[in-house]
């Protein structure tokens, strides 16, 4: 069974892979033998993450990329192809929290546009360049591809004062279902991961709020918030041959928060 999860010879991109959930997934993928390219906006943060990933012994690289810029996405993808020769998996993980938890009645249009530009449009651009490459390979007899979006349980629950963020994630859920049907002929699967509350740079402010922790932690049967490394296993599974018949799914990973 060990061979089923051996990713030697595979290549994956993890956007937002220089920290948080993205780095947790990238590290697990590299640990399973996958070559990994992390994309992030902060070159220094990319460098530090790359040093950590290099300890796995897998081939690793980093591209400075803002996924809200389709041209930057294309350049980063071209650079990744030039380095590794192929891309088998696109983990579209980069995202923003939404610019502040304020009332919907006070939400500025600019906040909506920026959140959608990264959380939805950035995933569309990343998936599109990867899927074109994967479909082309399938036409040459090499049918294999993995598209994985980082969504959120905010797409399922009422995310009060964060409706713009939840809306982007709900759109991702719908998109992977559609892509699963459209791209199956190329051997490409499309799935979404839905994290619950995670300890990361993005949530550091909330985690420091005693009222937030007091209210939310008892609602999680696991009695702890998630950690980036909790997403390594699902990343390896969705990248591997073990998930070849699983597509169009939204996979909740939240320690039991949504069923408490």
């Amino acid at each position: 069974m060990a061979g089923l999860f051996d990713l030697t010879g595979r290549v994956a991109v993890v956007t937002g892979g220089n920290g948080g959930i993205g780095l947790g997934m990238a590290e697990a993928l590299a640990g399973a033998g996958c070559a990994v390219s992390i994309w992030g906006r902060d070159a220094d943060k990319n460098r530090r993450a790359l040093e950590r990933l290099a300890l796995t012994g897998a081939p690793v690289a980093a591209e400075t990329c803002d996924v809200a810029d389709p041209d930057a996405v294309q350049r980063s993808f071209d650079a990744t192809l030039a380095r590794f020769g192929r891309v088998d998996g696109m983990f579209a993980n980069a995202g923003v929290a939404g610019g502040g938890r304020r009332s919907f009645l006070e939400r500025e249009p600019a906040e909506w546009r920026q959140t959608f530009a990264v959380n939805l449009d950035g995933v569309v651009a990343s998936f599109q360049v990867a899927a074109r490459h994967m479909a082309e390979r399938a036409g040459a007899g090499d049918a294999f591809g993995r598209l994985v979006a980082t969504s959120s349980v905010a797409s399922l629950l009422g995310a009060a004062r964060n409706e713009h963020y939840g809306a982007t994630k709900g759109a991702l859920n719908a998109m992977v279902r559609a892509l699963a049907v459209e791209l199956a002929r190329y051997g490409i699967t499309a799935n979404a991961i839905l994290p619950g509350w995670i300890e990361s740079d993005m949530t550091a402010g909330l985690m420091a709020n005693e009222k937030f922790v007091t209210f939310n932690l008892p609602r999680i049967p696991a009695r702890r918030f998630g950690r980036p490394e909790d997403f390594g296993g699902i990343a390896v599974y969705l990248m591997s041959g073990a998930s070849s018949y699983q597509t169009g799914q939204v996979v909740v990973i939240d320690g039991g928060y949504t069923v408490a």
Side-chain angles (χ1 to χ4, degrees):
M1 290 295 291
L4 196 60
F5 299 97
D6 181 2
L7 302 182
T8 303
R10 297 297 186 191
V11 180
V13 170
V14 183
T15 72
N18 58 10
I21 292 173
L23 182 55
M25 293 193 296
E27 194 164 30
L29 291 168
C34 189
V36 178
S37 178
I38 57 171
W39 297 2
R41 293 182 295 184
D42 187 328
D44 288 337
K45 194 174 179 181
N46 285 355
R47 176 184 52 77
R48 293 192 296 272
L50 206 56
E51 291 173 354
R52 177 170 161 179
L53 292 173
L55 297 177
T56 65
V60 292
E63 299 296 332
T64 303
C65 178
D66 180 354
V67 296
D69 179 355
D71 291 336
V73 169
Q74 186 65 64
R75 287 194 299 270
S76 295
F77 193 81
D78 291 343
T80 303
L81 275 183
R83 183 178 185 90
F84 294 116
R86 61 187 291 128
V87 170
D88 299 290
M90 173 60 74
F91 288 76
N93 167 78
V96 294
R101 287 178 170 266
R102 71 185 87 251
S103 168
F104 172 71
L105 305 180
E106 301 168 354
R107 184 75 61 198
E108 295 290 336
E111 287 183 329
W112 276 89
R113 287 194 295 269
Q114 178 58 24
T115 306
F116 272 78
V118 178
N119 292 4
L120 180 58
D121 298 346
V123 176
V124 171
S126 300
F127 275 4
Q128 196 167 48
V129 295
R132 286 170 179 158
H133 163 71
M134 294 168 183
E136 183 178 345
R137 281 207 338 263
D142 183 8
F144 183 96
R146 300 287 188 263
L147 304 178
V148 182
T150 299
S151 179
S152 169
V153 296
S155 65
L156 305 178
L157 304 176
R161 303 177 72 84
N162 207 20
E163 71 293 327
H164 57 327
Y165 176 83
T168 65
K169 300 304 186 176
L172 290 183
N173 297 351
M175 183 170 68
V176 298
R177 292 186 181 107
L179 293 181
V181 177
E182 179 177 347
L183 301 178
R185 71 194 69 184
Y186 303 113
I188 301 171
T189 64
N191 294 285
I193 298 170
L194 279 62
W197 291 113
I198 307 300
E199 295 180 5
S200 68
D201 292 343
M202 185 182 291
T203 61
L206 284 172
M207 296 298 172
N209 185 315
E210 186 176 348
K211 289 183 178 180
F212 169 84
V213 173
T214 300
F215 176 75
N216 284 286
L217 190 57
R219 300 179 66 188
I220 305 176
R223 290 298 187 270
R224 69 169 176 82
F225 293 113
R227 300 164 186 151
E229 56 267 30
D230 292 327
F231 296 84
I234 189 65
V236 171
Y237 166 69
L238 290 177
M239 185 68 193
S240 75
S243 66
S244 61
Y245 206 58
Q246 177 163 1
T247 190
Q249 301 302 305
V250 293
V251 185
V252 175
I253 303 180
D254 66 354
Y257 185 84
T258 52
V259 296

